Amino acid sequence: MRARLLLASSSIFSKRCGDLEVSSFGVMDDGRWDTTVEEVDNHLPSSSSQGVSELNDVEEDEWEMVAKKGNQFVINGQPFYVNGFNTYWLMVFAADQSTRGKVTEVFQQASSVGLTVCRTWAFNDGQWRALQKSPGVYDEDVFKLALDFVVSEAKKYKIRLILSLTNNWDAYGGKAQYVKWGKATGLNLTSDDDFFSHPTLRSYYKAHVKAVLNRVNTLTNITYKDDPTIFAWELMNEPRCTSDPSGDKLQSWITDMAVYVKSMDAKHLLEIGLEGFYGPSAPDRAQFNPNSYATQVGTDFIRNHQVLGVDFASVHIYADSWISQTISDSHIEFIKSWMEAHIEDAERYLGMPVVFTEFGVSSKGPWLQLIIP
């Protein structure tokens, strides 16, 4: 999820392809998301307050953990279908009393139109309103007023959360911040990709994982790792390791972190946060990549998702950023083949559900008015 993109996708769906669960998330900036949901909400037969009342009538024992059975998400053995959205800013808005109501509003609106899963950040490293001020040092007010509140409000409106644990990009800290922290202690680090290989930086990340998973929510008194409100943990938003095109460095990190997360929390689902680029392990699939560079960013869709502990696959779609900003039939052709390839791989090779967790178009394209009149 990149701040430079204004994401305008409004299609949000979940469907079955054979026995495979295929889900997709629409991604909005906050302004567009509000408009979209309000427009739909105006045509609903019942009011939001009625919807909340109905949600509150749901028995607590029906709020069970989402699990995976083969290629299908399930709750109590019954299929669970994802209708999802991304709202990365929830924790930052919740940290400020003047904007906290926006969090409640988003969940209320999402629930009223039948959305079931929200993907958001469970990190803010060394930045404005930081959750983690320095390695292993947290702002308790941000934990309590922000992340605890987000999880609590999601539960109230029966929205499940995919919580991402750090960022490949600089926004909200991410791996660059971990490297800065390491350099400040005198570590000899030469690249932000040292995040994936240096043992000290790995220990910093593990400490953050431990702090979040073992956190007892001050508003619900439920430990995060025991809370069914959390649909899944995401290791990282869009991990890339361009310094090692072989993919070995990132593969080692994913393997280490997947085992670590599962050793602490075997109940929740886990995903990596990948964009879906094919790498060296599947040269015949590289034809589906948007460009030749995608093969060189250190990720490997099939190999990465074969790591023990990873429960479902993630894919992103940004045709205009990856191919060109001039919209054409080539975008539609790419998206069709991109989706079909990953659906096939998830079913045939990985044996797991696949979720298209981000898709959108850039605000830089002059053709945006064709999509948003």
Side-chain angles (χ1 to χ4, degrees):
M1 205 183 298
R2 294 174 287 274
R4 63 188 178 85
L5 290 172
L6 169 64
L7 305 175
S9 305
S10 57
S11 299
I12 304 172
F13 67 88
S14 178
K15 65 178 181 179
R16 290 286 295 279
C17 293
D19 292 325
L20 178 70
E21 170 102 4
V22 182
S23 305
S24 187
F25 280 45
V27 190
M28 311 286 179
D29 73 312
D30 51 323
R32 177 60 187 172
W33 163 250
D34 292 342
T35 301
T36 303
V37 176
E38 287 167 5
E39 287 172 352
V40 176
D41 194 38
N42 289 336
H43 294 86
L44 292 176
S46 59
S47 67
S48 297
S49 59
Q50 180 179 343
V52 174
S53 175
E54 291 170 353
L55 290 173
N56 290 336
D57 290 339
V58 176
E59 295 293 333
E60 279 299 316
D61 59 7
E62 294 181 16
W63 192 237
E64 298 290 338
M65 199 81 72
V66 178
K68 184 194 74 166
K69 185 178 181 181
N71 295 337
Q72 180 79 50
F73 294 126
V74 295
I75 298 179
N76 287 330
Q78 298 301 310
F80 174 79
Y81 299 107
V82 174
N83 291 308
F85 63 103
N86 281 272
T87 312
Y88 66 88
W89 45 258
L90 291 178
M91 191 168 62
V92 171
F93 274 48
D96 189 323
Q97 185 66 46
S98 67
T99 54
R100 186 170 303 141
K102 188 73 170 176
V103 175
T104 302
E105 181 183 348
V106 165
F107 285 140
Q108 183 181 54
Q109 292 176 349
S111 177
S112 72
V113 294
L115 303 187
T116 57
V117 177
C118 171
R119 177 169 169 265
T120 192
W121 296 166
F123 65 88
N124 188 1
D125 310 312
Q127 306 288 308
W128 179 59
R129 293 180 183 168
L131 173 65
Q132 186 177 197
K133 298 188 292 185
S134 59
V137 178
Y138 292 85
D139 187 323
E140 175 60 24
D141 287 340
V142 174
F143 237 140
K144 180 178 180 179
L145 300 176
L147 194 53
D148 285 357
F149 179 77
V150 168
V151 176
S152 174
E153 288 297 279
K155 181 176 187 291
K156 181 186 300 183
Y157 291 97
K158 300 303 175 186
I159 301 290
R160 297 177 190 270
L161 300 173
I162 294 178
L163 293 181
S164 188
L165 294 165
T166 195
N167 203 356
N168 183 75
W169 313 106
D170 294 351
Y172 296 89
K175 68 180 184 183
Q177 182 62 62
Y178 280 86
V179 170
K180 289 178 183 176
W181 284 333
K183 287 181 176 179
T185 66
L187 296 181
N188 182 23
L189 304 172
T190 59
S191 165
D192 285 350
D193 285 349
D194 288 336
F195 168 85
F196 297 112
S197 57
H198 198 285
T200 299
L201 302 190
R202 284 194 179 194
S203 72
Y204 288 170
Y205 176 83
K206 287 181 176 179
H208 177 63
V209 170
K210 183 177 181 180
V212 174
L213 271 60
N214 286 327
R215 170 75 178 181
V216 177
N217 193 313
T218 57
L219 300 176
T220 65
N221 204 34
I222 301 173
T223 305
Y224 280 36
K225 65 182 180 182
D226 297 325
D227 194 340
T229 307
I230 297 168
F231 176 84
W233 302 111
E234 178 177 281
L235 292 180
M236 186 180 213
N237 174 52
E238 300 186 335
R240 294 186 184 185
C241 186
T242 56
S243 63
D244 179 23
S246 75
D248 292 344
K249 186 181 293 187
L250 181 58
Q251 182 76 1
S252 172
W253 184 86
I254 293 170
T255 301
D256 186 14
M257 299 313 165
V259 169
Y260 184 74
V261 171
K262 285 294 187 175
S263 70
M264 198 175 308
D265 179 5
K267 300 176 184 177
H268 281 104
L269 299 173
L270 177 69
E271 55 109 352
I272 302 168
L274 292 172
E275 296 161 280
F277 300 134
Y278 291 102
S281 76
D284 60 318
R285 307 303 274 174
Q287 62 178 308
F288 297 107
N289 280 342
N291 50 56
S292 59
Y293 176 71
T295 313
Q296 304 297 314
V297 298
T299 67
D300 198 322
F301 177 75
I302 294 177
R303 182 190 184 197
N304 294 159
H305 282 111
Q306 290 173 329
V307 168
L308 181 66
V310 176
D311 295 300
F312 64 93
S314 67
V315 185
H316 295 178
I317 307 174
Y318 292 106
D320 67 303
S321 297
W322 294 345
I323 301 175
S324 71
Q325 289 190 2
T326 303
I327 195 168
S328 67
D329 290 343
S330 64
H331 288 75
I332 304 302
E333 293 169 3
F334 163 72
I335 291 169
K336 183 174 183 294
S337 65
W338 183 249
M339 294 185 71
E340 288 177 346
H342 288 85
I343 290 169
E344 179 182 349
D345 292 336
E347 186 166 22
R348 180 177 298 182
Y349 300 114
L350 301 176
M352 60 176 56
V354 58
V355 183
F356 293 84
T357 48
E358 287 190 35
F359 62 95
V361 294
S362 171
S363 62
K364 295 179 180 179
W367 43 266
L368 189 63
Q369 60 185 348
L370 300 177
I371 299 174
I372 306 178

